[in-house]
Amino acid sequence: GQLFQVRVPSNWRQFPGQSDIWFAPEGAYGNQGITHGATIGVYKTQQRSLDRATQEYVNGILQANNYLRRTTNYSRFRLDGRNAYAVRLSGRSPVTGQNEYAIIYTTQLRDGSLMYIVGVAPQNESYRYNRAFNTIVRSLNINRSA
């Protein structure tokens, strides 16, 4: 069966990625990825704890996107009844030339893999996208066998 179900804004389209799924409004995607929208996927890790797996994943994001910096501490919360973390990154996008932010939500699956949701948006439109990201996170329903 499916790994998860989630609600996204009705004007967003779904794009299958290599190891994840992207959701973005029209005009917010291209060859270099999304400029605003969300990515949901699973990260295979050897780390057995949620905090170490999250740090490993975030460090990989920071290395791959060296313009981003972590701007908040990791905060704990519950994601579909599971322990989870959230952290915010920001920086000037090389694609748009604007300041953008990425908010990363993580939780662990039964097999130890890390499930992540990454919301990306221009800094000056954060008020609009924060609501969408919160809706996505609150609506996430992970398959109980996962």
Side-chain angles (χ1 to χ4, degrees):
Q2 294 180 317
L3 176 61
F4 67 91
Q5 293 178 332
V6 68
R7 282 194 325 265
V8 296
S10 60
N11 65 330
W12 288 22
R13 290 186 42 205
Q14 178 179 328
F15 304 90
Q18 304 255 340
S19 61
D20 51 17
I21 300 171
W22 301 354
F23 298 96
E26 199 64 43
Y29 50 87
N31 299 3
Q32 297 176 320
I34 59 174
T35 57
H36 38 291
T39 303
I40 302 174
V42 176
Y43 173 72
K44 299 290 185 189
T45 178
Q46 298 302 310
Q47 302 297 331
R48 300 315 294 164
S49 70
L50 175 60
D51 60 339
R52 286 193 193 135
T54 297
Q55 288 174 8
E56 179 181 276
Y57 177 73
V58 170
N59 287 341
I61 295 290
L62 291 170
Q63 285 179 333
N65 302 277
N66 62 4
Y67 66 95
L68 289 173
R69 299 288 177 262
R70 192 166 56 101
T71 56
T72 66
N73 289 324
Y74 293 90
S75 58
R76 294 185 77 114
F77 73 107
R78 302 287 288 174
L79 182 61
D80 192 27
R82 299 168 188 239
N83 290 329
Y85 280 108
V87 64
R88 188 175 171 126
L89 314 175
S90 64
R92 184 171 296 279
S93 167
V95 176
T96 65
Q98 297 180 29
N99 286 333
E100 72 176 16
Y101 73 98
I103 186 158
I104 300 173
Y105 307 94
T106 61
T107 193
Q108 219 161 12
L109 301 177
R110 289 182 195 260
D111 70 357
S113 298
L114 192 73
M115 182 174 197
Y116 59 84
I117 301 173
V118 180
V120 177
Q123 194 78 41
N124 63 351
E125 296 183 50
S126 64
Y127 64 93
R128 183 179 314 157
Y129 286 94
N130 282 342
R131 188 175 325 141
F133 299 152
N134 287 333
T135 297
I136 290 168
V137 168
R138 281 194 310 270
S139 74
L140 181 68
N141 186 354
I142 302 170
N143 184 320
R144 291 294 163 224
S145 64

